[in-house]
Amino acid sequence: MSPRLEDENPDRLYMVTGGRSSVTDDALDMVTLIVSECEPTPGMQSEHARILRLCRSPTAVVEIAAELRMPVSVVCILLCDLLDTGRVTARKPRPAPAETRLPDPEILKQVLVGLQKL
């Protein structure tokens, strides 16, 4: 049975990130899709290699974190390492077309009031 996230050793996470606790670039959020641009190389940090294998097809940051059983913040640091070296690319999901977006909240309130009056 694999260890639970809350049982993760903070010292190990510190080592995995090289002591970094945050990223300066806001390019990544939980739904950003990550795609590998190369295969893992010998001697590469094991977490980086796992990310490259996981992301052969577009994979969301939150999915990577779940698969690695690490906090999203730690995974973002690892992803930034890979982005900086060109080993992965990141892209935001496309926004939904205008016709599929939710209506104005004010209109929804008016509809609700109208339904309640029935």
Short mmCIF file of all heavy atoms in Angstrom, two decimals, residues 22-83:
data_model
loop_
_atom_site.label_atom_id
_atom_site.label_comp_id
_atom_site.label_asym_id
_atom_site.label_seq_id
_atom_site.Cartn_x
_atom_site.Cartn_y
_atom_site.Cartn_z
N SER A 22 8.12 27.84 -3.72
CA SER A 22 7.12 28.41 -4.61
C SER A 22 7.75 28.73 -5.96
O SER A 22 8.97 28.73 -6.09
CB SER A 22 6.51 29.67 -4.01
OG SER A 22 7.49 30.68 -3.89
N VAL A 23 6.89 28.99 -6.92
CA VAL A 23 7.36 29.38 -8.24
C VAL A 23 7.03 30.85 -8.44
O VAL A 23 6.06 31.36 -7.90
CB VAL A 23 6.72 28.52 -9.36
CG1 VAL A 23 7.20 27.09 -9.28
CG2 VAL A 23 5.22 28.58 -9.31
N THR A 24 7.85 31.52 -9.22
CA THR A 24 7.62 32.95 -9.44
C THR A 24 6.70 33.19 -10.63
O THR A 24 6.10 34.24 -10.76
CB THR A 24 8.94 33.69 -9.68
OG1 THR A 24 9.62 33.07 -10.77
CG2 THR A 24 9.81 33.65 -8.45
N ASP A 25 6.56 32.19 -11.49
CA ASP A 25 5.75 32.32 -12.69
C ASP A 25 4.34 31.79 -12.41
O ASP A 25 4.19 30.70 -11.88
CB ASP A 25 6.41 31.52 -13.82
CG ASP A 25 5.75 31.75 -15.16
OD1 ASP A 25 4.84 32.58 -15.24
OD2 ASP A 25 6.17 31.09 -16.12
N ASP A 26 3.33 32.56 -12.79
CA ASP A 26 1.95 32.12 -12.60
C ASP A 26 1.41 31.42 -13.84
O ASP A 26 0.20 31.39 -14.07
CB ASP A 26 1.06 33.32 -12.25
CG ASP A 26 1.36 33.88 -10.88
OD1 ASP A 26 1.85 33.13 -10.02
OD2 ASP A 26 1.11 35.09 -10.68
N ALA A 27 2.28 30.85 -14.66
CA ALA A 27 1.86 30.21 -15.91
C ALA A 27 1.08 28.92 -15.68
O ALA A 27 0.38 28.46 -16.56
CB ALA A 27 3.08 29.93 -16.78
N LEU A 28 1.20 28.34 -14.50
CA LEU A 28 0.55 27.06 -14.25
C LEU A 28 -0.58 27.21 -13.24
O LEU A 28 -0.44 27.88 -12.23
CB LEU A 28 1.56 26.05 -13.70
CG LEU A 28 2.77 25.73 -14.58
CD1 LEU A 28 3.73 24.82 -13.83
CD2 LEU A 28 2.33 25.09 -15.88
N ASP A 29 -1.69 26.57 -13.54
CA ASP A 29 -2.73 26.40 -12.54
C ASP A 29 -3.14 24.93 -12.59
O ASP A 29 -2.56 24.14 -13.34
CB ASP A 29 -3.90 27.37 -12.75
CG ASP A 29 -4.57 27.21 -14.10
OD1 ASP A 29 -4.54 26.10 -14.68
OD2 ASP A 29 -5.15 28.20 -14.58
N MET A 30 -4.14 24.56 -11.83
CA MET A 30 -4.46 23.14 -11.71
C MET A 30 -4.99 22.51 -12.99
O MET A 30 -4.89 21.30 -13.16
CB MET A 30 -5.44 22.93 -10.56
CG MET A 30 -4.81 23.20 -9.22
SD MET A 30 -5.72 22.53 -7.83
CE MET A 30 -7.24 23.43 -7.89
N VAL A 31 -5.55 23.30 -13.90
CA VAL A 31 -6.09 22.72 -15.12
C VAL A 31 -5.20 22.91 -16.34
O VAL A 31 -5.56 22.52 -17.44
CB VAL A 31 -7.52 23.27 -15.41
CG1 VAL A 31 -8.49 22.84 -14.34
CG2 VAL A 31 -7.50 24.77 -15.58
N THR A 32 -4.03 23.51 -16.15
CA THR A 32 -3.08 23.65 -17.25
C THR A 32 -2.70 22.26 -17.73
O THR A 32 -2.45 21.36 -16.93
CB THR A 32 -1.82 24.41 -16.79
OG1 THR A 32 -2.21 25.70 -16.34
CG2 THR A 32 -0.81 24.53 -17.89
N LEU A 33 -2.68 22.09 -19.04
CA LEU A 33 -2.33 20.80 -19.63
C LEU A 33 -0.84 20.76 -19.93
O LEU A 33 -0.28 21.70 -20.50
CB LEU A 33 -3.13 20.57 -20.90
CG LEU A 33 -4.64 20.49 -20.71
CD1 LEU A 33 -5.35 20.42 -22.05
CD2 LEU A 33 -5.02 19.32 -19.82
N ILE A 34 -0.21 19.66 -19.55
CA ILE A 34 1.23 19.47 -19.72
C ILE A 34 1.46 18.34 -20.72
O ILE A 34 0.80 17.31 -20.64
CB ILE A 34 1.90 19.11 -18.38
CG1 ILE A 34 1.59 20.15 -17.30
CG2 ILE A 34 3.40 18.90 -18.55
CD1 ILE A 34 2.12 21.54 -17.56
N VAL A 35 2.39 18.56 -21.65
CA VAL A 35 2.73 17.54 -22.64
C VAL A 35 4.24 17.37 -22.68
O VAL A 35 4.98 18.36 -22.76
CB VAL A 35 2.23 17.94 -24.05
CG1 VAL A 35 2.58 16.87 -25.08
CG2 VAL A 35 0.74 18.20 -24.04
N SER A 36 4.70 16.13 -22.63
CA SER A 36 6.13 15.82 -22.72
C SER A 36 6.64 16.13 -24.13
O SER A 36 5.97 15.86 -25.11
CB SER A 36 6.39 14.34 -22.45
OG SER A 36 5.98 14.00 -21.17
N GLU A 37 7.85 16.66 -24.19
CA GLU A 37 8.50 16.93 -25.47
C GLU A 37 9.68 16.00 -25.70
O GLU A 37 10.31 16.06 -26.75
CB GLU A 37 8.96 18.39 -25.51
CG GLU A 37 7.84 19.40 -25.47
CD GLU A 37 6.90 19.31 -26.66
OE1 GLU A 37 7.33 18.90 -27.76
OE2 GLU A 37 5.71 19.64 -26.49
N CYS A 38 9.97 15.14 -24.73
CA CYS A 38 11.08 14.20 -24.88
C CYS A 38 10.87 13.04 -23.91
O CYS A 38 9.97 13.06 -23.07
CB CYS A 38 12.42 14.89 -24.62
SG CYS A 38 12.61 15.48 -22.91
N GLU A 39 11.73 12.08 -24.02
CA GLU A 39 11.72 10.93 -23.11
C GLU A 39 12.66 11.22 -21.94
O GLU A 39 13.58 12.03 -22.06
CB GLU A 39 12.19 9.66 -23.85
CG GLU A 39 11.21 9.17 -24.90
CD GLU A 39 9.89 8.70 -24.31
OE1 GLU A 39 9.91 8.02 -23.26
OE2 GLU A 39 8.84 9.03 -24.89
N PRO A 40 12.45 10.54 -20.81
CA PRO A 40 13.39 10.70 -19.68
C PRO A 40 14.80 10.28 -20.09
O PRO A 40 14.98 9.43 -20.96
CB PRO A 40 12.84 9.75 -18.62
CG PRO A 40 11.42 9.50 -19.00
CD PRO A 40 11.35 9.64 -20.49
N THR A 41 15.78 10.90 -19.45
CA THR A 41 17.17 10.58 -19.73
C THR A 41 17.80 9.94 -18.49
O THR A 41 17.36 10.20 -17.37
CB THR A 41 17.97 11.84 -20.11
OG1 THR A 41 17.84 12.80 -19.07
CG2 THR A 41 17.46 12.42 -21.41
N PRO A 42 18.83 9.14 -18.67
CA PRO A 42 19.51 8.53 -17.53
C PRO A 42 20.04 9.61 -16.58
O PRO A 42 20.53 10.65 -17.02
CB PRO A 42 20.66 7.74 -18.15
CG PRO A 42 20.24 7.51 -19.57
CD PRO A 42 19.41 8.70 -19.95
N GLY A 43 19.89 9.37 -15.30
CA GLY A 43 20.40 10.29 -14.29
C GLY A 43 19.43 11.40 -13.94
O GLY A 43 19.70 12.20 -13.05
N MET A 44 18.32 11.46 -14.63
CA MET A 44 17.31 12.50 -14.37
C MET A 44 16.63 12.22 -13.03
O MET A 44 16.46 11.07 -12.64
CB MET A 44 16.28 12.48 -15.50
CG MET A 44 15.16 13.47 -15.36
SD MET A 44 14.00 13.34 -16.75
CE MET A 44 14.88 14.31 -17.94
N GLN A 45 16.26 13.28 -12.33
CA GLN A 45 15.52 13.14 -11.07
C GLN A 45 14.28 12.27 -11.33
O GLN A 45 13.58 12.44 -12.32
CB GLN A 45 15.10 14.52 -10.57
CG GLN A 45 14.42 14.51 -9.23
CD GLN A 45 14.15 15.93 -8.72
OE1 GLN A 45 14.84 16.87 -9.09
NE2 GLN A 45 13.14 16.06 -7.90
N SER A 46 14.02 11.31 -10.46
CA SER A 46 12.97 10.33 -10.69
C SER A 46 11.59 10.97 -10.87
O SER A 46 10.80 10.51 -11.70
CB SER A 46 12.93 9.30 -9.57
OG SER A 46 12.62 9.91 -8.33
N GLU A 47 11.32 12.03 -10.14
CA GLU A 47 10.01 12.70 -10.27
C GLU A 47 9.87 13.35 -11.64
O GLU A 47 8.81 13.31 -12.25
CB GLU A 47 9.81 13.74 -9.16
CG GLU A 47 9.63 13.16 -7.79
CD GLU A 47 10.95 12.76 -7.10
OE1 GLU A 47 12.03 13.11 -7.63
OE2 GLU A 47 10.89 12.10 -6.06
N HIS A 48 10.95 13.94 -12.14
CA HIS A 48 10.93 14.53 -13.48
C HIS A 48 10.67 13.44 -14.52
O HIS A 48 9.88 13.63 -15.45
CB HIS A 48 12.24 15.25 -13.79
CG HIS A 48 12.40 16.54 -13.05
ND1 HIS A 48 13.63 17.02 -12.69
CD2 HIS A 48 11.50 17.45 -12.61
CE1 HIS A 48 13.48 18.18 -12.06
NE2 HIS A 48 12.20 18.45 -12.00
N ALA A 49 11.35 12.31 -14.36
CA ALA A 49 11.18 11.20 -15.31
C ALA A 49 9.73 10.69 -15.28
O ALA A 49 9.15 10.43 -16.34
CB ALA A 49 12.15 10.08 -14.98
N ARG A 50 9.15 10.57 -14.10
CA ARG A 50 7.75 10.12 -14.00
C ARG A 50 6.81 11.10 -14.69
O ARG A 50 5.87 10.70 -15.37
CB ARG A 50 7.34 9.93 -12.54
CG ARG A 50 7.90 8.65 -11.94
CD ARG A 50 7.33 8.34 -10.59
NE ARG A 50 5.90 8.04 -10.70
CZ ARG A 50 5.06 8.13 -9.68
NH1 ARG A 50 5.49 8.50 -8.49
NH2 ARG A 50 3.79 7.84 -9.83
N ILE A 51 7.06 12.39 -14.52
CA ILE A 51 6.21 13.40 -15.16
C ILE A 51 6.31 13.25 -16.68
O ILE A 51 5.27 13.27 -17.37
CB ILE A 51 6.61 14.82 -14.72
CG1 ILE A 51 6.22 15.04 -13.25
CG2 ILE A 51 5.96 15.86 -15.61
CD1 ILE A 51 6.78 16.31 -12.63
N LEU A 52 7.50 13.08 -17.21
CA LEU A 52 7.66 12.94 -18.65
C LEU A 52 6.92 11.72 -19.17
O LEU A 52 6.30 11.77 -20.25
CB LEU A 52 9.14 12.87 -19.03
CG LEU A 52 9.93 14.17 -18.84
CD1 LEU A 52 11.40 13.95 -19.18
CD2 LEU A 52 9.35 15.30 -19.68
N ARG A 53 6.94 10.63 -18.43
CA ARG A 53 6.21 9.43 -18.85
C ARG A 53 4.70 9.63 -18.75
O ARG A 53 3.95 9.18 -19.62
CB ARG A 53 6.67 8.22 -18.03
CG ARG A 53 8.04 7.69 -18.45
CD ARG A 53 8.35 6.35 -17.82
NE ARG A 53 8.55 6.44 -16.38
CZ ARG A 53 9.70 6.74 -15.79
NH1 ARG A 53 10.78 6.96 -16.52
NH2 ARG A 53 9.80 6.80 -14.49
N LEU A 54 4.26 10.30 -17.69
CA LEU A 54 2.83 10.55 -17.50
C LEU A 54 2.23 11.45 -18.57
O LEU A 54 1.06 11.33 -18.91
CB LEU A 54 2.59 11.23 -16.14
CG LEU A 54 2.57 10.39 -14.91
CD1 LEU A 54 2.57 11.27 -13.67
CD2 LEU A 54 1.35 9.50 -14.91
N CYS A 55 3.02 12.37 -19.07
CA CYS A 55 2.50 13.43 -19.93
C CYS A 55 2.75 13.18 -21.41
O CYS A 55 2.85 14.13 -22.19
CB CYS A 55 3.08 14.77 -19.49
SG CYS A 55 2.60 15.19 -17.82
N ARG A 56 2.81 11.94 -21.80
CA ARG A 56 2.95 11.65 -23.23
C ARG A 56 1.74 12.16 -24.00
O ARG A 56 1.83 12.49 -25.17
CB ARG A 56 3.17 10.16 -23.44
CG ARG A 56 4.55 9.73 -22.96
CD ARG A 56 4.83 8.28 -23.23
NE ARG A 56 6.20 7.97 -22.84
CZ ARG A 56 6.53 6.94 -22.08
NH1 ARG A 56 5.60 6.11 -21.64
NH2 ARG A 56 7.79 6.73 -21.77
N SER A 57 0.61 12.21 -23.34
CA SER A 57 -0.57 12.88 -23.89
C SER A 57 -0.93 13.99 -22.90
O SER A 57 -0.52 13.93 -21.73
CB SER A 57 -1.72 11.90 -24.08
OG SER A 57 -2.10 11.33 -22.85
N PRO A 58 -1.67 15.01 -23.33
CA PRO A 58 -1.95 16.15 -22.44
C PRO A 58 -2.55 15.71 -21.11
O PRO A 58 -3.51 14.94 -21.07
CB PRO A 58 -2.95 16.99 -23.25
CG PRO A 58 -2.67 16.64 -24.67
CD PRO A 58 -2.26 15.19 -24.65
N THR A 59 -1.94 16.18 -20.02
CA THR A 59 -2.37 15.80 -18.68
C THR A 59 -2.42 17.05 -17.81
O THR A 59 -1.49 17.86 -17.81
CB THR A 59 -1.36 14.80 -18.06
OG1 THR A 59 -1.19 13.71 -18.98
CG2 THR A 59 -1.86 14.25 -16.74
N ALA A 60 -3.51 17.21 -17.07
CA ALA A 60 -3.68 18.38 -16.21
C ALA A 60 -2.73 18.31 -15.02
O ALA A 60 -2.41 17.23 -14.51
CB ALA A 60 -5.12 18.47 -15.71
N VAL A 61 -2.31 19.47 -14.56
CA VAL A 61 -1.41 19.58 -13.41
C VAL A 61 -1.98 18.83 -12.21
O VAL A 61 -1.27 18.09 -11.52
CB VAL A 61 -1.13 21.06 -13.05
CG1 VAL A 61 -0.39 21.18 -11.74
CG2 VAL A 61 -0.36 21.73 -14.17
N VAL A 62 -3.26 18.97 -11.96
CA VAL A 62 -3.88 18.32 -10.81
C VAL A 62 -3.83 16.79 -10.95
O VAL A 62 -3.65 16.08 -9.96
CB VAL A 62 -5.32 18.83 -10.58
CG1 VAL A 62 -6.27 18.35 -11.66
CG2 VAL A 62 -5.83 18.46 -9.20
N GLU A 63 -3.94 16.28 -12.18
CA GLU A 63 -3.83 14.84 -12.40
C GLU A 63 -2.41 14.35 -12.13
O GLU A 63 -2.21 13.27 -11.57
CB GLU A 63 -4.23 14.48 -13.82
CG GLU A 63 -5.68 14.70 -14.14
CD GLU A 63 -5.98 14.38 -15.58
OE1 GLU A 63 -6.08 13.18 -15.91
OE2 GLU A 63 -6.09 15.33 -16.38
N ILE A 64 -1.44 15.14 -12.53
CA ILE A 64 -0.04 14.78 -12.29
C ILE A 64 0.22 14.72 -10.78
O ILE A 64 0.83 13.78 -10.28
CB ILE A 64 0.91 15.80 -12.96
CG1 ILE A 64 0.71 15.79 -14.47
CG2 ILE A 64 2.37 15.50 -12.60
CD1 ILE A 64 1.35 16.96 -15.19
N ALA A 65 -0.28 15.73 -10.06
CA ALA A 65 -0.10 15.76 -8.60
C ALA A 65 -0.74 14.54 -7.96
O ALA A 65 -0.15 13.92 -7.06
CB ALA A 65 -0.70 17.05 -8.03
N ALA A 66 -1.93 14.17 -8.42
CA ALA A 66 -2.60 12.99 -7.85
C ALA A 66 -1.81 11.72 -8.14
O ALA A 66 -1.64 10.88 -7.26
CB ALA A 66 -4.01 12.88 -8.41
N GLU A 67 -1.31 11.61 -9.35
CA GLU A 67 -0.56 10.42 -9.73
C GLU A 67 0.76 10.31 -8.95
O GLU A 67 1.15 9.23 -8.53
CB GLU A 67 -0.30 10.45 -11.23
CG GLU A 67 0.21 9.16 -11.79
CD GLU A 67 -0.79 8.01 -11.74
OE1 GLU A 67 -2.00 8.25 -11.88
OE2 GLU A 67 -0.32 6.87 -11.55
N LEU A 68 1.42 11.45 -8.75
CA LEU A 68 2.68 11.46 -8.00
C LEU A 68 2.46 11.43 -6.49
O LEU A 68 3.42 11.26 -5.72
CB LEU A 68 3.51 12.69 -8.35
CG LEU A 68 4.04 12.79 -9.77
CD1 LEU A 68 4.79 14.10 -9.97
CD2 LEU A 68 4.93 11.61 -10.12
N ARG A 69 1.21 11.68 -6.07
CA ARG A 69 0.85 11.73 -4.66
C ARG A 69 1.66 12.82 -3.95
O ARG A 69 2.24 12.60 -2.89
CB ARG A 69 1.00 10.38 -3.99
CG ARG A 69 0.15 9.30 -4.65
CD ARG A 69 0.22 7.97 -3.96
NE ARG A 69 -0.26 8.00 -2.60
CZ ARG A 69 -1.56 7.96 -2.22
NH1 ARG A 69 -2.49 7.89 -3.12
NH2 ARG A 69 -1.89 7.99 -0.95
N MET A 70 1.68 14.00 -4.59
CA MET A 70 2.41 15.16 -4.06
C MET A 70 1.50 16.37 -4.12
O MET A 70 0.60 16.43 -4.96
CB MET A 70 3.66 15.44 -4.89
CG MET A 70 4.72 14.42 -4.78
SD MET A 70 6.12 14.98 -5.76
CE MET A 70 7.37 13.93 -5.09
N PRO A 71 1.75 17.36 -3.27
CA PRO A 71 0.97 18.60 -3.34
C PRO A 71 1.15 19.29 -4.70
O PRO A 71 2.22 19.22 -5.32
CB PRO A 71 1.57 19.47 -2.23
CG PRO A 71 2.27 18.52 -1.32
CD PRO A 71 2.73 17.38 -2.17
N VAL A 72 0.09 19.94 -5.16
CA VAL A 72 0.13 20.65 -6.44
C VAL A 72 1.27 21.67 -6.44
O VAL A 72 1.96 21.83 -7.45
CB VAL A 72 -1.22 21.33 -6.73
CG1 VAL A 72 -1.14 22.24 -7.95
CG2 VAL A 72 -2.31 20.28 -6.93
N SER A 73 1.50 22.34 -5.32
CA SER A 73 2.57 23.35 -5.27
C SER A 73 3.94 22.73 -5.55
O SER A 73 4.77 23.35 -6.24
CB SER A 73 2.57 24.05 -3.91
OG SER A 73 2.75 23.12 -2.87
N VAL A 74 4.18 21.55 -5.06
CA VAL A 74 5.46 20.86 -5.30
C VAL A 74 5.55 20.45 -6.76
O VAL A 74 6.59 20.63 -7.41
CB VAL A 74 5.61 19.64 -4.36
CG1 VAL A 74 6.81 18.79 -4.75
CG2 VAL A 74 5.71 20.10 -2.91
N VAL A 75 4.46 19.93 -7.30
CA VAL A 75 4.45 19.50 -8.69
C VAL A 75 4.68 20.71 -9.62
O VAL A 75 5.40 20.60 -10.61
CB VAL A 75 3.13 18.77 -9.03
CG1 VAL A 75 2.99 18.53 -10.52
CG2 VAL A 75 3.08 17.45 -8.26
N CYS A 76 4.12 21.86 -9.28
CA CYS A 76 4.34 23.06 -10.10
C CYS A 76 5.81 23.45 -10.13
O CYS A 76 6.32 23.87 -11.19
CB CYS A 76 3.50 24.23 -9.57
SG CYS A 76 1.75 24.08 -10.02
N ILE A 77 6.51 23.29 -9.04
CA ILE A 77 7.95 23.57 -9.00
C ILE A 77 8.69 22.62 -9.94
O ILE A 77 9.53 23.03 -10.74
CB ILE A 77 8.50 23.48 -7.56
CG1 ILE A 77 7.92 24.60 -6.70
CG2 ILE A 77 10.03 23.51 -7.56
CD1 ILE A 77 8.16 24.44 -5.22
N LEU A 78 8.34 21.33 -9.88
CA LEU A 78 8.97 20.34 -10.75
C LEU A 78 8.65 20.63 -12.22
O LEU A 78 9.51 20.53 -13.09
CB LEU A 78 8.51 18.94 -10.37
CG LEU A 78 8.92 18.45 -8.98
CD1 LEU A 78 8.23 17.13 -8.65
CD2 LEU A 78 10.42 18.34 -8.86
N LEU A 79 7.40 21.01 -12.48
CA LEU A 79 7.00 21.31 -13.85
C LEU A 79 7.74 22.53 -14.39
O LEU A 79 8.12 22.57 -15.57
CB LEU A 79 5.50 21.52 -13.94
CG LEU A 79 4.66 20.25 -13.79
CD1 LEU A 79 3.19 20.58 -13.67
CD2 LEU A 79 4.92 19.28 -14.94
N CYS A 80 7.95 23.53 -13.55
CA CYS A 80 8.70 24.72 -13.98
C CYS A 80 10.13 24.35 -14.36
O CYS A 80 10.68 24.90 -15.32
CB CYS A 80 8.67 25.79 -12.91
SG CYS A 80 7.09 26.66 -12.86
N ASP A 81 10.72 23.41 -13.63
CA ASP A 81 12.06 22.92 -14.00
C ASP A 81 12.04 22.35 -15.42
O ASP A 81 12.91 22.64 -16.24
CB ASP A 81 12.53 21.80 -13.05
CG ASP A 81 12.79 22.27 -11.64
OD1 ASP A 81 12.93 23.49 -11.43
OD2 ASP A 81 12.84 21.40 -10.74
N LEU A 82 11.02 21.53 -15.70
CA LEU A 82 10.91 20.89 -17.01
C LEU A 82 10.55 21.90 -18.10
O LEU A 82 11.03 21.79 -19.23
CB LEU A 82 9.88 19.76 -16.95
CG LEU A 82 10.28 18.57 -16.07
CD1 LEU A 82 9.12 17.61 -15.88
CD2 LEU A 82 11.50 17.85 -16.63
N LEU A 83 9.73 22.87 -17.76
CA LEU A 83 9.39 23.93 -18.72
C LEU A 83 10.62 24.74 -19.10
O LEU A 83 10.85 25.06 -20.27
CB LEU A 83 8.33 24.86 -18.14
CG LEU A 83 6.89 24.37 -18.20
CD1 LEU A 83 6.01 25.22 -17.30
CD2 LEU A 83 6.37 24.39 -19.63
#
